[in-house]
Amino acid sequence: MRKPLSDPAEPALTPLAGSERPPAPGVEHAAAVPLDASIRIEITVVLRRKAPLPDPAVSPRLSRAEFASSYGADPGDLEAVTSTLTALGLEVLRVDAASRRVRVAGTADQLSRVFGTKLTAVTDADQPDQPDQHVTTHRRRAGGLGVPSTLSAIITAVLGLDDRPQARMLSMVAAPGSVTRSYTPLELASVYAFPDDADGAGQTISIIELGGGFAQADLDAYFGGLGITGPTVTAVGVDGGSNRPGSDPNGADGEVLLDIEVAGALAPGADQVVYFAPNTDAGFLDAVSDAAHAVPTPAAISISWGQSEDRWTAQARAAMDDALADAASLGVTVTAAAGDDGSTDRTTDGKVHVDFPASSPHALACGGTRLQADPATATVSHETVWNNGVGNGATGGGVSDVFALPEWQQEVGVPPVAGGATGRGVPDVSAVADPQTGYRIRVDGNDIVIGGTSAVSPLWAALVARLCQLTGRPLGLLQPVLYGGVAAGVVAPGFRDVTEGDNGAYSAGPGWDACTGLGVPDGTSLRARLANATGQARLGE
């Protein structure tokens, strides 16, 4: 679908709303030079919906065919985008009508001209606000983008021109000598009363990864050591990403193995599909969209990567939220880690921030606790908010500056933000995340203890898989049921409340709070809660 550019004149462009990108704070540029004009780049272009998507909180689940037909991209829009971009010399690589994405390639010069920007090659020192990233050279842009004026009403996002790291992994390896208690996932299943007559059989759990990899030998050794047969795990590459296991358990491999092993131990009967994508806004979106629209539709998508809301461009954040809404409408429950840096989310402006995509109202935001328990008797002696002090890890949580307060969260006492407005409260749910009382995991041949809200997301995804098996239906957006009938200061059915501790600006208390949400799961009670829930349309019926 590629043809030479016949007219070298610059196309007439219209500014693309929400595409403005400031320079990343705190990064010292060792070099910033014009990008080689001939280098080939692939990007993702996102289109508008054929019609507005009904709120998945109150609408019945849609089949893939119903969704694509009614809420995917309009065929006329797809034709206009592909023909216009092709005429401008770009190559159309892939079209996905259901998720409204067009994958496009061109030279740096072509893409810069078609979308009205300037790309530079930047070599960075380690980023002080993201010490787990080791960035060398990547592309950057600043300011806004434009789109060909004939497509200005159709295109909603252009992602991937700038390929700086979009997210950080939300896991932490326990420091030597700091562990006071650690748990296998099976022990946590006992502590959190997971229904023991289900293992996730017949379900699929999708996991999003933006780096690292796993070796099957690690999985075999780990699950064998637990005395169980582990799940079938399939790796899927997205946008050139792939399963690349290394030899650093403190790096991205630790994140990948943590996610797979926690979900796999707690729902060994569920198949796992692990999507590996580049750590860019385009890669992150494409991985989530591919998972949401996959066949078979997963019961849950687990996301353990994120970034403060304000570190996303508005177009990328909106595109990701739309992808999460797709998932919810198709009956998928998306679990997302709420962050490991307390109420500031590792920002340096002295203000409170929440992590995205956990702050999306279409994701089940997962916060973290510190747990002292005896798994042999399932007795909990103490469970508090995870907060080991500034720089040492604390659960994320707070109030969104971007997303409005959802209807299902209206009565639980979400506090106002600056100016008196009230936004979406984070998190919704919690489980143990403190690495000092963390998860025993095997990574790159090493048995280590890891924590972070990264661990809570796959734990909840596995619980969702078990509950889907037991109820015989997808659960989709869980919050309308979890919050239903719950007032401020009241413990929600299906949860054990956590009332001690803080994450910086917010303190725990009775009922929902911006540290641990509704609390930690009582899986058996939650099963009964779902079985007795009214409004069954939200449970896939």
Side-chain angles (χ1 to χ4, degrees):
M1 300 181 69
R2 184 179 185 182
K3 73 176 186 179
L5 180 65
S6 57
D7 182 1
E10 303 237 349
L13 301 180
T14 297
L16 177 60
S19 63
E20 295 76 16
R21 185 185 273 281
V27 177
E28 296 181 4
H29 292 186
V33 298
L35 194 67
D36 180 351
S38 64
I39 191 171
R40 186 176 185 273
I41 299 171
E42 296 183 7
I43 66 170
T44 297
V45 177
V46 185
L47 281 57
R48 65 186 176 184
R49 296 187 191 277
K50 183 183 299 185
L53 184 68
D55 184 353
V58 296
S59 301
R61 178 176 62 93
L62 298 167
S63 70
R64 288 188 298 273
E66 290 171 332
F67 185 96
S69 174
S70 298
Y71 306 109
D74 185 278
D77 286 353
L78 286 171
E79 171 57 27
V81 169
T82 56
S83 62
T84 299
L85 297 184
T86 301
L88 290 169
L90 304 184
E91 181 182 0
V92 175
L93 304 175
R94 183 166 73 108
V95 173
D96 189 323
S99 64
R100 311 167 310 285
R101 291 175 296 146
V102 179
R103 189 73 175 164
V104 176
T107 66
D109 180 67
Q110 289 172 318
L111 291 168
S112 295
R113 181 173 49 77
V114 171
F115 296 108
T117 191
K118 178 181 179 181
L119 298 175
T120 57
V122 177
T123 301
D124 291 337
D126 283 349
Q127 300 185 49
D129 65 330
Q130 297 191 75
D132 50 354
Q133 305 290 352
H134 304 288
V135 180
T136 53
T137 300
H138 57 274
R139 300 185 303 273
R140 289 201 175 213
R141 68 171 181 86
L145 298 174
V147 296
S149 294
T150 56
L151 306 177
S152 62
I154 299 174
I155 293 176
T156 61
V158 176
L159 307 177
L161 289 167
D162 184 314
D163 68 349
R164 73 185 76 179
Q166 179 57 64
R168 55 178 177 253
M169 54 189 182
L170 302 175
S171 60
M172 301 182 69
V173 176
S178 67
V179 177
T180 61
R181 186 72 169 86
S182 61
Y183 307 91
T184 70
L186 298 184
E187 290 174 333
L188 293 174
S190 175
V191 169
Y192 293 130
F194 276 34
D196 57 11
D197 54 345
D199 63 359
Q203 310 302 314
T204 299
I205 297 173
S206 296
I207 297 175
I208 306 300
E209 301 294 355
L210 304 179
F214 68 91
Q216 188 61 46
D218 269 340
L219 301 184
D220 292 342
Y222 183 74
F223 293 124
L226 294 177
I228 63 174
T229 299
T232 299
V233 181
T234 303
V236 175
V238 178
D239 295 352
S242 64
N243 177 23
R244 297 190 181 100
S247 58
D248 180 11
N250 295 311
D253 284 5
E255 178 62 68
V256 174
L257 271 299
L258 174 68
D259 294 342
I260 294 173
E261 291 172 1
V262 170
L266 292 173
D271 292 336
Q272 284 190 26
V273 182
V274 186
Y275 292 83
F276 288 95
N279 187 3
T280 64
D281 52 10
F284 203 165
L285 171 72
D286 288 337
V288 171
S289 291
D290 284 0
H293 292 272
V295 180
T297 302
I301 298 174
S302 177
I303 302 175
S304 294
W305 299 70
Q307 182 61 272
S308 178
E309 282 183 333
D310 60 314
R311 294 291 300 277
W312 293 71
T313 62
Q315 60 157 0
R317 195 172 51 230
M320 178 67 81
D321 183 52
D322 276 347
L324 300 176
D326 287 6
S329 296
L330 291 166
V332 183
T333 302
V334 180
T335 61
D340 294 353
D341 296 282
S343 58
T344 66
D345 203 29
R346 205 185 297 184
T347 59
T348 57
D349 61 4
K351 299 178 181 179
V352 292
H353 295 269
V354 291
D355 210 74
F356 181 81
S359 67
S360 164
H362 302 112
L364 186 73
C366 300
T369 66
R370 178 183 180 89
L371 173 69
Q372 296 291 341
D374 180 359
T377 60
T379 301
V380 176
S381 57
H382 209 205
E383 190 159 16
T384 61
V385 177
W386 168 39
N387 186 349
N388 292 332
V390 177
N392 296 314
T395 183
V399 182
S400 173
D401 291 324
V402 176
F403 298 101
L405 183 69
E407 181 66 31
W408 36 262
Q409 226 176 19
Q410 293 279 343
E411 304 300 325
V412 296
V414 177
V417 293
T422 301
R424 189 267 202 267
V426 177
D428 297 305
V429 298
S430 289
V432 61
D434 188 343
Q436 295 179 10
T437 62
Y439 298 67
R440 297 203 289 273
I441 298 297
R442 184 175 182 84
V443 182
D444 296 336
N446 300 288
D447 295 321
I448 60 177
V449 176
I450 303 183
T453 55
S454 281
V456 185
S457 181
L459 180 148
W460 269 91
L463 179 55
V464 166
R466 288 202 196 194
L467 294 172
C468 285
Q469 177 189 0
L470 291 168
T471 60
R473 59 191 176 227
L475 300 181
L477 192 70
L478 267 175
Q479 288 96 317
V481 173
L482 300 183
Y483 284 89
V486 179
V490 174
V491 181
F495 291 88
R496 179 165 49 78
D497 205 6
V498 176
T499 60
E500 296 180 41
D502 66 78
N503 67 351
Y506 300 99
S507 297
W512 183 89
D513 55 62
C515 297
T516 60
L518 296 170
V520 298
D522 178 328
T524 299
S525 296
L526 189 58
R527 172 187 187 176
R529 167 88 164 138
L530 295 175
N532 296 328
T534 59
Q536 295 297 323
R538 286 310 320 134
L539 295 179
E541 293 187 349

